[in-house]
Amino acid sequence: QVKLVESGGDSVQAGGSLRLSCAASGLSSGTYCTAWFRQAPGMEREGVASISSLGYYTNYGDFVKGRFTISRDSAKNTVYLQMHNLKPDDTAMYYCAAMTACQWSYRLRPADYNYWGQGTQVTVSS
């Protein structure tokens, strides 16, 4: 059974930092791509960042602009999203997603991902 568990969401002030974690089980390390998406109330889900199965390639949403870094620890089967200089517009539920049988996918499209976590809330106050 595949399971993705996000953690690390919190309430912070603008300019602060957070690190989100996505721990996977039921998936073999090195065989799936991972992405972070976010969704604010009343908004569509949007892609934040993606990483290839071995961690060599990454892609980011345009709004990230160098503030976030996605990384993978294959030994722990965990993907991280380090976020710096957070802004109130970053407030959203953040979801981790996995695409199986994938080495790399440049697109940040939710429909491409077949497993999802339950989400972790990030709230940024001004």
Side-chain angles (χ1 to χ4, degrees), residues 36-111:
W36 286 93
F37 293 87
R38 69 184 189 183
Q39 189 167 20
M43 304 294 286
E44 290 188 357
R45 192 166 294 192
E46 64 178 345
V48 179
S50 62
I51 189 166
S52 61
S53 60
L54 296 180
Y56 295 142
Y57 304 106
T58 58
N59 185 32
Y60 296 90
D62 291 340
F63 60 87
V64 170
K65 296 182 179 178
R67 300 182 297 129
F68 300 173
T69 302
I70 189 170
S71 61
R72 179 188 292 280
D73 186 333
S74 296
K76 295 182 178 180
N77 223 3
T78 298
V79 169
Y80 303 96
L81 183 69
Q82 179 68 56
M83 304 186 292
H84 294 296
N85 192 21
L86 284 161
K87 305 174 182 180
D89 285 348
D90 294 319
T91 296
M93 185 71 78
Y94 283 70
Y95 297 92
C96 172
M99 183 193 316
T100 53
C102 170
Q103 292 184 338
W104 171 232
S105 175
Y106 186 83
R107 294 186 307 189
L108 278 167
R109 193 174 74 167

